[in-house]
Amino acid sequence: MPGEIALVVGAFDPAARLAGFAAEHRDAGAVASFLGQVRCGDDVGCGDDVDDGQALELLHYEPLTLPSMIALGEEAQKRWKLSGLLILHRIGIMCAGEPIVLVACAARHRRPALTAVDFLMDHLKSRVWFWKREKTATGWQWIEPREQDRTDLARWAPAAHS
Amino acid sequence: MPGEIALVVGAFDPAARLAGFAAEHRDAGAVASFLGQVRCGDDVGCGDDVDDGQALELLHYEPLTLPSMIALGEEAQKRWKLSGLLILHRIGIMCAGEPIVLVACAARHRRPALTAVDFLMDHLKSRVWFWKREKTATGWQWIEPREQDRTDLARWAPAAHS
Amino acid sequence: MEVTLVFLGRLEDAAGGAQRIIAVEPPSCIANIAQSLEPDLCAALLKEDVRFALNGALVQRHCSVSDGDEVAFLPPVSGG
Amino acid sequence: MEVTLVFLGRLEDAAGGAQRIIAVEPPSCIANIAQSLEPDLCAALLKEDVRFALNGALVQRHCSVSDGDEVAFLPPVSGG
């Protein structure tokens, strides 16, 4: 494995994780990252939205979810010759302002680092086995895929659904 | 100004700055960032290289450099409706492993945040008034622009040299 | 034989629970198992956008199931 | 009149220093000032890829210069 890929139960400290990652890859020159935080808002996207005072739940399927993240990480590593890669994805119930996902890629040059983060986010959002539901005033509601997710994926050459 | 844009003399702590930025934009949902570190290596790119045990010096021209960074930040803000923006660029003498540049963009959705970081890096590298020299065994040597910088810029619609 | 069914995402609501252990007559494939359930649930499970995993590996609906297997029904991921 | 010249990047080496204060006869434009310097330095300053700033604003080489002005010669940025 080119780096750390994990599902995280409970809040994590993205700044500390990113600091550790950058220090570990001090020679890499370029470290790109993306942090998704639960948004308190009115439309679905990344970060995901929850209504004020409400919660978001992220569910996974143990035998498939982490393996599909690892396969995705390996594909990014192969495509962009990264010197390091970090994917942390939260599962469980979370509230507005909390981190959901942190992706970081280290490389010699900025283009591969930035592109790999972009690729990983598009695929994490639409190819990795996560299901989300939102707690609203009327109870829990499943979040359905959006057309935008398909458009995002179409930016990349085919990557097998793993 | 939509955020903080500064020249930094002496080392800074990118993780702490990024943590502060993410906390300030907890509602944004998406925080993309790029960190360039001085690379100890053998080709020029971002992070910039210095030979082992050597140093890199980044020079600016006071009346132009910061204003050109601010103009660039305003352009990114206008193009992508960012909820926040952070550009820290070091000047002076620095050694391998030290941070040179930190760019972070906060937005509701990941696409504008990631794209704006990419745009800012391409333009910081080739449009903002910085000159670099590298201390080698034979003395200080100026780093000349690369063809890659022009290619990188050509990815974006024209942005005035400010 | 006994088979464990796992319902992910919106299918949990359709099934009234995340998991169900059922007895089925061999030989059975995933489609047969779905057809043995309530008609509404069966329709939800066999919708075109649902995928299937047998013991953690993605398979087709005509894959046959053995005693003790776990069959998961996977609706599209939420995206975002 | 007196004018301050600032040489950035590689032009610092060409000029043998980052800054120089010189006396010039008015009326003078930036090109005139460059031409009053050593021929090698003049050639480096008027290369096609060098830009000019007068008191911190980018200008053309035929922009005229007044007493106390600061003229900066800006080679291409280093990129990377």
Side-chain angles (χ1 to χ4, degrees):
Chain A
M1 275 311 307
E4 186 181 353
I5 300 180
L7 293 170
V8 183
V9 183
F12 64 95
D13 179 349
R17 302 306 298 259
L18 201 53
F21 182 78
E24 220 178 298
H25 298 284
R26 218 177 270 285
D27 280 354
V31 178
S33 74
F34 180 85
L35 168 65
Q37 307 182 113
V38 182
R39 197 169 50 207
C40 168
D42 52 3
D43 63 344
V44 172
C46 177
D48 297 279
D49 282 287
V50 292
D51 285 333
D52 208 8
Q54 304 291 347
L56 181 81
E57 184 172 15
L58 236 140
L59 293 107
H60 73 303
Y61 179 51
E62 176 95 37
L64 282 180
T65 307
L66 187 57
S68 68
M69 286 167 68
I70 292 172
L72 184 59
E74 282 167 349
E75 188 176 341
Q77 167 67 15
K78 211 185 304 168
R79 282 200 190 196
W80 290 285
K81 291 209 284 171
L82 305 174
S83 41
L85 179 152
L86 175 70
I87 305 176
L88 299 178
H89 208 298
R90 220 169 132 191
I91 49 175
I93 293 181
M94 55 208 88
C95 299
E98 292 185 10
I100 309 176
V101 57
L102 175 66
V103 166
C105 293
R108 285 190 71 73
H109 297 277
R110 73 177 180 281
R111 183 77 50 235
L114 286 164
T115 310
V117 166
D118 196 6
F119 170 89
L120 287 170
M121 283 307 305
D122 276 355
H123 287 77
L124 273 172
K125 285 286 172 175
S126 52
R127 285 283 169 103
V128 170
W129 296 105
F130 289 114
W131 297 270
K132 293 171 198 161
R133 58 181 167 187
E134 194 184 353
K135 194 179 179 187
T136 67
T138 59
W140 286 98
Q141 227 145 15
W142 293 100
I143 298 172
E144 294 292 326
R146 308 165 308 149
E147 181 51 37
Q148 180 67 39
D149 300 318
R150 279 177 282 273
T151 317
D152 288 343
L153 266 196
R155 302 168 64 224
W156 310 96
H161 199 316
S162 47
Chain B
M1 275 312 309
E4 185 182 353
I5 300 180
L7 293 171
V8 183
V9 183
F12 64 95
D13 179 349
R17 303 305 299 259
L18 201 52
F21 182 79
E24 220 179 295
H25 299 285
R26 219 176 269 287
D27 281 355
V31 178
S33 74
F34 180 85
L35 168 65
Q37 308 182 113
V38 182
R39 198 168 51 207
C40 170
D42 51 4
D43 62 344
V44 172
C46 179
D48 298 280
D49 282 287
V50 291
D51 286 331
D52 209 7
Q54 303 292 346
L56 181 81
E57 184 172 15
L58 236 138
L59 293 108
H60 73 303
Y61 179 51
E62 176 97 37
L64 283 181
T65 308
L66 188 57
S68 68
M69 286 167 69
I70 292 172
L72 184 59
E74 282 167 349
E75 189 176 341
Q77 168 67 14
K78 210 185 306 168
R79 283 201 190 195
W80 289 285
K81 292 208 284 170
L82 304 174
S83 40
L85 178 152
L86 174 71
I87 306 176
L88 299 179
H89 208 298
R90 221 170 131 192
I91 49 175
I93 293 181
M94 53 208 88
C95 299
E98 291 185 12
I100 309 175
V101 57
L102 175 66
V103 166
C105 293
R108 285 190 70 73
H109 297 276
R110 73 178 180 282
R111 182 79 47 236
L114 285 164
T115 310
V117 166
D118 195 8
F119 170 89
L120 287 171
M121 284 306 306
D122 276 355
H123 287 77
L124 273 172
K125 285 286 171 175
S126 52
R127 285 282 170 103
V128 170
W129 296 105
F130 289 115
W131 298 270
K132 292 171 199 160
R133 58 181 166 185
E134 195 185 351
K135 195 179 180 189
T136 66
T138 57
W140 287 97
Q141 224 143 17
W142 294 100
I143 297 172
E144 294 292 326
R146 307 166 310 148
E147 180 52 37
Q148 180 67 39
D149 299 318
R150 279 178 281 272
T151 316
D152 288 344
L153 266 195
R155 303 167 64 223
W156 311 96
H161 199 315
S162 47
Chain C
M1 63 182 191
E2 238 179 42
V3 174
T4 302
L5 307 183
V6 179
F7 307 104
L8 280 307
R10 67 176 189 230
L11 297 176
E12 178 182 329
D13 293 350
Q19 198 167 311
R20 200 185 276 196
I21 295 170
I22 61 163
V24 291
E25 283 306 306
S28 266
C29 68
I30 294 173
N32 297 152
I33 290 176
Q35 282 147 7
S36 74
L37 304 170
E38 309 90 284
D40 282 4
L41 178 55
C42 172
L45 297 180
L46 297 181
K47 263 190 73 175
E48 211 177 38
D49 61 5
V50 174
R51 304 195 67 189
F52 315 98
L54 181 63
N55 301 323
L58 291 172
V59 295
Q60 297 301 313
R61 66 172 68 190
H62 294 301
C63 188
S64 69
V65 174
S66 307
D67 186 41
D69 280 354
E70 177 171 298
V71 176
F73 296 91
L74 314 155
V77 300
S78 297
Chain D
M1 63 183 192
E2 236 179 41
V3 174
T4 302
L5 307 182
V6 179
F7 307 104
L8 279 307
R10 65 174 191 231
L11 298 176
E12 179 182 327
D13 293 350
Q19 198 166 313
R20 202 185 277 195
I21 295 170
I22 60 163
V24 290
E25 284 306 308
S28 267
C29 68
I30 293 172
N32 297 152
I33 289 175
Q35 282 148 6
S36 74
L37 304 171
E38 310 90 283
D40 282 5
L41 177 56
C42 172
L45 297 180
L46 297 182
K47 263 190 75 175
E48 211 177 41
D49 61 5
V50 174
R51 305 197 67 190
F52 316 97
L54 181 64
N55 300 323
L58 292 172
V59 295
Q60 298 301 312
R61 66 172 67 190
H62 294 300
C63 190
S64 69
V65 175
S66 307
D67 186 41
D69 280 353
E70 177 170 300
V71 176
F73 296 90
L74 313 155
V77 301
S78 298

